[in-house]
Amino acid sequence: METPPFEHTATIARELGWNADRSFAEFRDQLLAKGLREDVAVIRAYFDEAESRRRQSERCGEPNQLPACAVQLRYIYQVLRGFPPEQVFAQTLLGFEAASADPRIVGINLVMPEDGYVSMSDYALHMRLVGFLHDVYPKVHISLHAGELAPGLVTYEGLSFHVRQAVEVGHAERIGHGVSVMYEDRPYDLLQEMAAKHVMVEVNLSSNDLILGISGRNHPFPIYRKFGVPVALSTDDEGVSRIDLTHEYVRAVQTYALTYADLKQIVRTSLEHDFLPGASLWREQDVFTRSVAACSSEFLGAEKPTAACAAFLKSSEKAQQQWELERRFRAFESTN
């Protein structure tokens, strides 16, 4: 997750200002006419430089390259939602434009504390503008921080609608945190809707404990699983919490008595809901029992799949990563 430079976009947003009577479509046209798309090239250059430095520091392509060179990177464009509405709209528009032009940027998200004054007062507006831009750029993926809230941080009214609006208005495919879901209006209906729409929740156990004071039986992680809402584990912010992803899996096992099968389900879910291009390896979304027809006769993760399966895998970055995960499962299970 990254927020590339957007100074030019912020400047033209300030020049145009916010007008509540102006339509989103009109404001978008005005921003584009002022040259907002020029910042897409700035963003490309920003990531080009970052990746060049990374390749240099890890000696990628050299005989003594580090193993980390094998790690592939994709980016979520971060929008700073704690600023005036004209800037939030303009930066969100820039994120959608950049994601449409650069395949390294796979989606957008809104960041900054959800309980902040502007984040709370403008939340519904933010969901509407994201929803509008989703209609304009339907291929850009959306992952929204929603429900990183707890009693005492905001009013009970403030706890009652954030996750639902992210799903229904903002078209979120993934929800970050979702801790306050049981304080939503009609929470059980919402959980069923999220399960039906396959909206995944990124669960951040350590972060939610540290920042919100929510853990164990008070955390909705088991409730999401009970209702069939897809879940995956996330660190939220490794640098702040001083943890890594393995730590979160250990914590989940120790807190919720997860089985090995549960862990496989969670890991598979994380890849099922990544934003890589291409079709899933699995025939039915979030049901990890049958692969697509082209690979149905294969041992999942086989070193040499049939020609039909190999052709399918070549067509999909998502499926390639899922196939590699199954290979690793088989290798691990054969030695344990």
Side-chain angles (χ1 to χ4, degrees):
M1 296 178 63
E2 185 65 14
T3 303
F6 65 101
E7 288 82 0
H8 172 246
T9 290
T11 297
I12 60 177
R14 286 193 297 270
E15 291 174 355
L16 291 169
W18 183 252
N19 182 348
D21 295 326
R22 176 178 51 198
S23 70
F24 289 156
E26 183 181 2
F27 193 27
R28 173 180 176 268
D29 290 343
Q30 291 174 350
L31 288 165
L32 294 178
K34 282 274 193 177
L36 177 140
R37 283 197 180 106
E38 295 172 11
D39 277 357
V40 173
V42 174
I43 292 170
R44 281 181 177 272
Y46 174 84
F47 284 123
D48 287 344
E49 181 181 4
E51 292 185 352
S52 177
R53 290 184 177 182
R54 179 226 174 172
R55 289 191 296 270
Q56 183 178 12
S57 65
E58 295 173 355
R59 303 188 295 276
C60 299
E62 300 178 16
N64 61 339
Q65 71 176 20
L66 298 180
C69 291
V71 176
Q72 299 181 40
L73 297 177
R74 299 293 187 276
Y75 305 101
I76 298 287
Y77 184 98
Q78 294 184 153
V79 176
L80 306 180
R81 62 181 169 190
F83 287 89
E86 63 271 18
Q87 177 173 314
V88 175
F89 184 98
Q91 195 195 358
T92 307
L93 172 59
L94 177 60
F96 275 91
E97 284 281 339
S100 299
D102 191 330
R104 293 174 297 184
I105 304 170
V106 295
I108 68 106
N109 202 337
L110 307 187
V111 299
M112 294 181 71
E114 191 177 344
D115 59 308
Y117 177 78
V118 174
S119 300
M120 292 296 298
S121 61
D122 288 355
Y123 188 87
L125 172 65
H126 293 164
M127 293 304 101
R128 291 198 305 272
L129 69 86
V130 171
F132 163 75
L133 291 170
H134 163 76
D135 291 341
V136 179
Y137 307 88
K139 294 183 179 180
V140 175
H141 295 290
I142 299 172
S143 176
L144 295 175
H145 281 65
E148 190 183 4
L149 301 169
L153 285 179
V154 299
T155 65
Y156 278 96
E157 180 184 4
L159 294 169
S160 67
F161 64 93
H162 280 205
V163 177
R164 183 182 299 278
Q165 286 206 0
V167 172
E168 296 180 350
V169 182
H171 298 277
E173 299 163 70
R174 302 195 320 226
I175 295 293
H177 299 282
V179 176
S180 62
V181 67
M182 296 309 296
Y183 292 93
E184 294 267 335
D185 294 332
R186 308 186 317 280
Y188 299 113
D189 291 344
L190 176 59
L191 289 164
Q192 291 171 349
E193 179 181 355
M194 294 172 71
K197 289 182 174 179
H198 298 275
V199 177
M200 192 194 82
V201 179
E202 304 162 6
V203 174
N204 306 280
L205 296 174
S206 294
S207 173
N208 297 155
D209 187 7
L210 176 66
I211 296 175
L212 303 177
I214 302 295
S215 63
R217 295 170 57 186
N218 295 322
H219 197 285
F221 176 60
I223 297 175
Y224 281 124
R225 298 186 68 231
K226 180 178 180 179
F227 276 81
V229 177
V231 294
L233 295 174
S234 172
T235 60
D236 187 19
D237 194 325
E238 293 180 320
V240 172
S241 301
R242 296 295 190 266
I243 56 172
D244 57 21
L245 193 53
T246 299
H247 177 279
E248 296 302 277
Y249 275 89
V250 172
R251 179 166 185 155
V253 169
Q254 293 176 338
T255 304
Y256 301 106
L258 300 182
T259 66
Y260 179 63
D262 293 332
L263 297 179
K264 289 181 72 173
Q265 174 89 6
I266 291 171
V267 176
R268 283 168 169 159
T269 299
S270 70
L271 289 188
E272 182 80 340
H273 292 269
D274 66 26
F275 291 155
L276 288 176
S280 171
L281 175 64
W282 303 103
R283 188 171 303 191
E284 185 178 352
Q285 189 172 14
D286 291 317
V287 178
F288 306 118
T289 55
R290 294 194 303 165
S291 62
V292 296
C295 300
S296 60
S297 62
E298 303 290 314
F299 286 109
L300 295 179
E303 295 290 344
K304 294 182 178 180
T306 62
C309 184
F312 167 74
L313 295 175
K314 186 177 180 180
S315 73
S316 171
E317 288 188 52
K318 178 191 288 287
Q320 290 169 26
Q321 293 302 317
Q322 292 173 315
W323 191 263
E324 170 62 13
L325 175 64
E326 297 305 313
R327 184 195 69 77
R328 294 187 185 194
F329 278 148
R330 290 182 63 197
F332 173 76
E333 292 165 5
S334 68
T335 57
N336 288 273

